[in-house]
Amino acid sequence: MLSRHCCSNPPKLDPHCGLGTVLRDLAGLPAYTAGSPTCSRAVLLVTDIYGYDAPNLRNIADKVAAAGFFVVAPDFFYGDPYEDGESWDDWLSRHGTAKGAADAIAVVAALKRGGATSIGAAGFCWGGKVVVELAKTNDIDAAVLLHPSMVTVDDIKEVNVPIEILGGDLDELTPPSVLKQFEAALSAKSGVDSFVKIFPGVPHGFSIRYDANDKVAVKKAEEAQHDMLSWFLKYVRQERNFSTLSSTLRKMIPQNNRWSPPSRGQLVSTSKKAPAAAVKPGKGWTKDECGGGWMDDAHVITVEEHLRQMETRIGAKMNRLEVRLFSLICAALCIGLVFAFLQ
């Protein structure tokens, strides 16, 4: 259930805040978005009761996007976030988590239609219940619950994807005793990675409704946000789009094989039988669609060309070595002649 702790330190909503943009319709919902929509890695942020106009929420979305994700934070409340003093029962009757979960599933489906191949979801307070419902499906690849409310041990037992749960030891909605039950339930599940962390000295809502002037509160919030981002970087993987590769590599790599981009100058092979290719470091190294490093077609070469270039460079080095050796021999002969003349 919700309580007074859900509305502590309420944000000053601002529909114009953030570095991203607002889509009018994402699976029927307005949504704040950050990052490139062509990125194959996406993160869904499910808000607390104050909705998607909260500056701290949008700041978190911008940070996650800067790490190489397309981030969406939909308006799950249809322009009707909680207002202080309103009856909990009345508000929840209009915005139950079951409807929120159904909307979230539709948003995930829309992201996949848009090209996302790996999706993570994070839920704050009210949003934690929505995200745990997503985590029971195979629709997402990773989940993070930040000081969730209304989540039960039975919910946790049904989780199917890697999940991280971050809570505070002063949280009365999901206290440490409940978090430890979550941890025990997850430990008993085989094949599902999990991490539960209890932050000391922080209340419910600490990661998103912190006072920006309180350095201690900001530090704890940023630590939780860092933990969330690390979880997504680990489990929300990017798969390269073969259309971005050169025609040479497309011919060499079977379309049903996964391929990871090589490091600059590294020789790579897609299989034991497939020929290799090399990447030339240089000016053509550019940002990819998610903000990560990538190369253009002019900087992908065949292994034969790479070997020819290596042979040329080795030959040039040998020539320089021979010249230096000849110079040393001449110098030694000259010194020998000088000594012979002096004697």
Side-chain angles (χ1 to χ4, degrees):
M1 61 176 292
L2 300 179
S3 74
R4 59 184 176 83
H5 300 283
C6 288
C7 58
S8 59
N9 194 30
K12 184 177 181 180
L13 302 183
D14 180 1
H16 305 294
C17 65
L19 301 176
T21 59
V22 175
L23 294 181
R24 291 185 178 181
D25 186 350
L26 178 62
L29 301 173
Y32 177 79
T33 68
S36 172
T38 63
C39 182
S40 61
R41 295 190 301 179
V43 168
L44 167 64
L45 299 183
V46 186
T47 69
D48 66 0
I49 60 175
Y50 290 102
Y52 81 142
D53 285 337
N56 284 350
L57 174 83
R58 294 191 176 187
N59 182 46
I60 293 170
D62 294 339
K63 288 180 180 179
V64 176
F69 298 90
F70 178 52
V71 184
V72 298
D75 178 14
F76 287 99
F77 308 136
Y78 297 84
D80 181 35
Y82 177 78
E83 294 184 3
D84 290 340
E86 186 175 1
S87 166
W88 289 117
D89 292 338
D90 290 345
W91 188 83
L92 276 176
S93 67
R94 300 194 304 273
H95 305 296
T97 53
K99 177 63 167 64
D103 286 341
I105 290 173
V107 169
V108 169
L111 290 172
K112 290 182 177 180
R113 289 194 300 271
T117 59
S118 188
I119 300 174
F124 304 83
C125 187
W126 180 93
K129 178 67 172 179
V130 172
V131 169
V132 82
E133 295 298 326
L134 282 177
K136 297 176 184 179
T137 71
N138 294 317
D139 293 331
I140 60 174
D141 298 284
V144 179
L145 311 184
L146 299 100
H147 37 81
S149 62
M150 300 178 285
V151 176
T152 67
V153 175
D154 288 338
D155 288 328
I156 298 300
K157 289 179 179 179
E158 296 182 48
V159 167
N160 290 323
V161 300
I163 186 168
E164 179 180 69
I165 304 175
L166 308 175
D169 69 347
L170 301 182
D171 191 334
E172 296 183 14
L173 281 176
T174 307
S177 59
V178 174
L179 292 172
K180 291 177 181 178
Q181 292 178 43
F182 291 170
E183 186 175 28
L186 289 168
S187 297
K189 291 179 67 70
S190 60
V192 176
D193 290 345
S194 62
F195 177 68
V196 178
K197 183 174 180 178
I198 301 174
F199 288 73
V202 294
H204 182 76
F206 75 95
S207 75
I208 194 170
R209 290 201 306 276
Y210 53 90
D211 183 353
N213 296 317
D214 185 336
K215 293 183 179 180
V216 175
V218 170
K219 184 177 180 180
K220 292 293 184 182
E222 289 179 344
E223 182 181 346
Q225 294 163 16
H226 178 270
D227 290 341
M228 175 189 69
L229 180 56
S230 297
W231 196 256
F232 288 145
L233 288 171
K234 182 177 182 180
Y235 291 104
V236 181
R237 307 290 181 84
Q238 179 175 337
E239 294 185 12
R240 295 296 181 185
N241 187 336
F242 282 95
S243 65
T244 65
L245 300 180
S246 70
S247 58
T248 302
L249 281 179
R250 284 199 297 270
K251 292 177 182 178
M252 294 193 301
I253 303 174
Q255 292 294 312
N256 59 352
N257 281 3
R258 290 188 177 186
W259 183 80
S260 298
S263 301
R264 298 178 70 171
Q266 174 188 354
L267 286 174
V268 297
S269 177
T270 57
S271 69
K272 293 182 179 179
K273 296 181 180 180
V279 179
K280 295 190 297 182
K283 295 181 180 179
W285 196 269
T286 60
K287 292 286 187 179
D288 70 359
E289 69 276 11
C290 295
W294 192 235
M295 76 294 287
D296 60 23
D297 286 355
H299 287 73
V300 180
I301 59 176
T302 64
V303 70
E304 290 82 4
E305 182 182 348
H306 176 73
L307 292 175
R308 283 196 298 270
Q309 292 180 2
M310 289 293 294
E311 184 178 359
T312 301
R313 287 196 291 269
I314 292 172
K317 289 181 179 179
M318 290 298 295
N319 289 336
R320 289 195 295 270
L321 182 60
E322 290 173 359
V323 170
R324 291 174 183 174
L325 182 60
F326 179 75
S327 299
L328 288 174
I329 293 173
C330 290
L333 288 174
C334 290
I335 293 172
L337 290 173
V338 170
F339 274 106
F341 177 77
L342 292 176
Q343 292 177 354

